[in-house]
Amino acid sequence: MANEIKPAPIKELGGYQHMRRMVLAVLVVVLFAALLFGQSTFPPETPVHETIEMFGVLLIFLGVVGRLWSTLYIGGRKSSEVVTGGPYSITRNPLYVFSTIAAAGVGAQIGSFSGIILFALLCAGAFHIVILREEKYLKELLGAPYRAYLARVPRFFPNLSLYQEGDTGSFKPRLLLTTLLDGLVFLVALPVFETIDGAQQSGILPVLFRLP
């Protein structure tokens, strides 16, 4: 279900989309730096370390697939109507939610429980700032229908009991491809951090801190 609203100025909308991509890029750099010099207290090749890493891989794939699912519904309609179906029926910001899940998966590549939590909190905190600015903008743009949506659907943590299928509107494949390419950053982390782990084990890279 969606309520039609006049389109937003392209420049304004582009600014928020650019901010979202910049936040994601900065987070990737920060996470990479953390993994470059951090190591788990659980030695590599141990069952606990390997289990955490595999759990992280599942989180990354869930995050990427979730972002694609969200794009199927939002598909360029965010500035012209209130999208309330699919993932947008259970959380107002599914793209950010699934990005946070993927970031948690990257954190798990340290083989650390703390890495999962810290990376998720860092990502969610950074996105929270963007979310607040987007909400202010969309309240002015979309008016009463969006305010009603704000009152009904949680900002971040999904409420599965609210789920409604809705419709995907006029889907644009280009936007799905863009979202997929953005999400590949998380997948690229897998071989990169395996290489880092090997370099740490061989002494090429120093280990500056350890996480439980």
Side-chain angles (χ1 to χ4, degrees), residues 100-147:
T100 299
I101 291 173
V106 173
Q109 299 314 299
I110 299 179
S112 161
F113 294 113
S114 298
I116 296 175
I117 297 171
L118 290 174
F119 282 40
L121 289 177
L122 176 63
C123 191
F127 280 139
H128 182 68
I129 299 172
V130 181
I131 288 171
L132 293 179
R133 296 190 64 178
E134 278 191 352
E135 284 184 357
K136 181 179 179 181
Y137 170 69
L138 291 173
K139 278 193 288 188
E140 296 176 357
L141 176 71
L142 303 178
Y146 184 71
R147 292 176 187 276

Side-chain angles (χ1 to χ4, degrees), residues 37-44 110 112 114 201 207-212:
F37 300 108
Q39 195 176 80
S40 171
T41 54
F42 303 110
I110 299 179
S112 161
S114 298
Q201 293 302 306
V207 177
L208 302 182
F209 62 91
R210 294 182 182 274
L211 295 172

Side-chain angles (χ1 to χ4, degrees), residues 82-101:
V82 182
V83 179
T84 61
Y88 287 89
S89 65
I90 57 177
T91 173
R92 302 200 300 265
N93 297 281
L95 280 169
Y96 297 131
V97 171
F98 285 113
S99 293
T100 299
I101 291 173

